[in-house]
Amino acid sequence: MISVEEALEKILSYVDVLGHEKKPVLNCLGQVLAEDVYSTIDIPPLDNSAMDGYAVRAEDTRGASRSSPRELMVVGEIAAGSIPREEVKSGTAIRIMTGAPLPKGADAVVQFEDTDEANRKLSQGSLSQIGIFCQVENGFNVRYKGEDIAARELVLKKGKTLRPSEIGVLASVGRATAAVIRRPIVAVLATGDELIGADQPLAPGKIHDSNSYTIAAEILRYGGIPRILGIGRDLIPALTEKINEGLNADMLITSGGVSLGDYDVVKDVLKERGEIALWTICMKPGKPSAFGIIKNGEKKVAHLGLPGNPVSSMITFEQFARPAILKMLGKKTLVKPSIQAIIEGNVKNTDGRRMFARVMVTKRGGQYRARLTGPQGSGILTSMTKANGLAVIPENTKGVMRGDIVKVQMLDWSEDELLEE
Ligand code: AMP
Ligand code: MG
């Protein structure tokens, strides 16, 4: 048996970062930038107002207060998107909206709330004059040219994962497309004579194929493009044909057929077709897994053979397929985020493998607590639907006792559960 770390290291040594593609920025969400992005413009492009108010010369507001306002003559108005024509000279002000360029002569903005504009409007007085209620400093409520991004500045570095904020920055510097590392195409093949498609009626002795769906959904979730090949039968010729269909992908993931049973023929096809590393991994669930390279002419395709049991295939996906996909995507952090939590039940480790127990993590009294989700059989897929984490019970222990601190790999971070009660 090899350790989870050894298995992962081996798999990662066979997959590489993919090439890049250029596409509209909105389609790049979650992908890794493949170029350094420089701005050609200043943002903001001009000094402008941070408030709706009056553009003034700060020195004209000296000593102003609510009881003793400074009266200024209003010589114009500027909306966002237009260029001011008038100048603010001593003793004058210009009415200005948020984002409008600061007029010449002005060096500060007094917001409406700090003027007598509302009173004047109420008494239907003239707005040709305005009373300023407070003294402001030079630069008050002014946003300066280039204060966010300066022209020629490096705004986004190659290697950065694009989130909504980065996509917004690309748009703000006028970039409609970007070069990103392309998403891996991952072929998915379920194997087993007992399997029937989810859209077909069941027959005696058969079960619906759920692995194709969970695996494809996981691929999508972590940024890959799944290509579902369907169901491969437990016969070498039929299976070989199906596997061939997946060889144009960047990676092939099969489920089932890698145990020691008579009909577990995935391993036999692998032995014939490629460099195979058939393993037993020191983990529970997920012990029988396979990894290899299938030759397709000159091309070599990484093949990950997950166990057939629905929970085992999900957990091995999380440990091995996810990091492989993230590596191909050019991501740097490949390990699953984890936390420390107090376990609320006893877990026995009887055969010295690393256990991944399904838990629901909640936060109470500032502490994460992990509750087991009930029966942990590797065929019980609903145990995954009730879980938001996998408690990792080390292989060199006899288990953990209620109240012990355990490491939990988070599957997701649902706010509902992690909100303090
Ligand atoms: P295997 O690894 O092929 O021996 O399969 C182990 C168990 O997982 C068996 O009970 C299978 O029926 C079940 N299984 C295998 N493939 C799937 C699948 N695609 N969907 C649901 N269950 C499966
Ligand atoms: Mg099978």
Side-chain angles (χ1 to χ4, degrees):
M1 266 197 295
I2 63 170
S3 71
V4 173
E5 283 77 15
E6 284 170 292
L8 179 59
E9 199 182 315
K10 182 94 177 168
I11 291 167
L12 292 178
S13 75
Y14 278 98
V15 296
D16 281 323
V17 180
L18 299 177
H20 54 260
E21 58 184 350
K22 194 167 183 177
K23 55 185 193 174
V25 291
L26 199 49
N27 296 344
C28 297
L29 184 65
Q31 284 178 261
V32 171
L33 198 59
E35 58 172 330
D36 286 333
V37 175
Y38 290 86
S39 178
T40 55
I41 53 174
D42 285 305
I43 298 175
L46 296 168
D47 296 348
N48 70 93
S49 177
M51 285 287 175
D52 294 325
Y54 285 86
V56 299
R57 294 162 81 104
E59 60 187 27
D60 286 350
T61 67
R62 200 161 300 146
S65 69
R66 214 159 265 274
S67 54
S68 161
R70 285 283 168 278
E71 286 266 320
L72 300 174
M73 188 167 62
V74 181
V75 296
E77 184 173 285
I78 324 156
S82 55
I83 292 292
R85 274 168 288 123
E86 298 88 358
E87 192 177 327
V88 173
K89 297 206 174 85
S90 187
T92 71
I94 289 181
R95 201 162 180 269
I96 191 166
M97 303 305 138
T98 305
L102 203 67
K104 214 169 154 212
D107 55 26
V109 172
V110 178
Q111 60 184 14
F112 287 152
E113 292 84 337
D114 292 327
T115 71
D116 63 3
E117 184 180 286
N119 302 343
R120 283 172 190 266
K121 278 184 173 164
L122 264 180
S123 58
Q124 306 201 328
S126 156
L127 283 181
S128 60
Q129 298 279 320
I130 193 72
I132 305 292
F133 287 159
C134 64
Q135 178 175 320
V136 294
E137 299 300 316
N138 187 323
F140 191 69
N141 285 333
V142 175
R143 305 191 288 210
Y144 289 104
K145 170 180 169 171
E147 73 173 20
D148 184 1
I149 297 167
R152 292 181 293 282
E153 188 183 318
L154 174 63
V155 275
L156 291 173
K157 256 186 138 156
K158 193 171 163 170
K160 178 95 184 153
T161 295
L162 301 181
R163 301 168 301 169
S165 51
E166 283 78 25
I167 287 175
V169 163
L170 285 166
S172 71
V173 299
R175 290 287 302 265
T177 59
V180 287
I181 296 171
R182 72 175 177 85
R183 300 166 64 194
I185 295 169
V186 185
V188 181
L189 176 63
T191 72
D193 282 345
E194 73 280 32
L195 302 178
I196 290 215
D199 54 349
Q200 301 293 315
L202 275 185
K206 308 287 185 188
I207 57 167
H208 286 301
D209 160 29
S210 59
N211 289 352
S212 291
Y213 290 82
T214 44
I215 293 169
E218 297 257 35
I219 292 165
L220 268 180
R221 172 186 230 188
Y222 295 125
I225 302 169
R227 186 190 294 155
I228 293 183
L229 302 177
I231 297 166
R233 297 292 157 212
D234 292 330
L235 282 170
I236 292 181
L239 196 64
T240 304
E241 205 172 292
K242 272 285 178 195
I243 284 182
N244 284 344
E245 287 176 32
L247 297 185
N248 288 328
D250 297 300
M251 183 157 120
L252 167 67
I253 297 181
T254 58
S255 74
V258 286
S259 307
L260 299 176
D262 290 349
Y263 297 96
D264 289 323
V265 293
V266 170
K267 63 177 193 305
D268 302 324
V269 174
L270 266 178
K271 270 185 200 142
E272 256 172 51
R273 293 291 307 277
E275 297 164 23
I276 181 181
L278 181 67
W279 299 321
T280 44
I281 303 180
C282 185
M283 64 188 288
K284 187 180 180 173
K287 182 169 150 191
S289 302
F291 178 75
I293 296 291
I294 302 182
K295 293 185 193 113
N296 179 21
E298 286 296 284
K299 212 180 157 206
K300 288 179 172 178
V301 183
H303 167 242
L304 189 55
L306 306 181
N309 271 311
V311 175
S312 315
S313 76
M314 280 197 86
I315 291 178
T316 45
F317 186 101
E318 291 286 351
Q319 307 311 311
F320 307 116
R322 176 183 182 272
I325 289 172
L326 296 185
K327 182 172 179 187
M328 287 190 270
L329 279 165
K331 309 255 175 171
K332 307 244 161 41
T333 307
L334 308 181
V335 293
K336 211 118 188 119
S338 62
I339 54 156
Q340 301 286 321
I342 299 171
I343 191 122
E344 296 196 322
N346 302 331
V347 186
K348 265 208 184 105
N349 190 356
T350 48
D351 58 0
R353 283 185 275 158
R354 186 174 307 176
M355 291 177 65
F356 294 89
R358 278 129 274 160
V359 292
M360 172 57 81
V361 175
T362 51
K363 199 173 187 192
R364 270 172 283 144
Q367 273 281 5
Y368 289 119
R369 287 167 188 276
R371 185 170 30 82
L372 293 157
T373 60
Q376 298 281 309
S378 53
I380 301 177
L381 189 52
T382 52
S383 68
M384 287 298 285
T385 65
K386 293 175 189 147
N388 61 357
L390 298 173
V392 185
I393 317 295
E395 48 270 56
N396 56 1
T397 63
K398 294 266 172 264
V400 291
M401 301 284 281
R402 183 195 185 89
D404 284 349
I405 301 279
V406 292
K407 176 177 154 182
V408 179
Q409 291 183 349
M410 294 307 289
L411 294 166
D412 41 43
W413 295 90
S414 158
E415 280 109 31
D416 289 349
E417 283 119 19
L418 295 178
L419 221 57
E420 283 269 3
E421 281 156 9

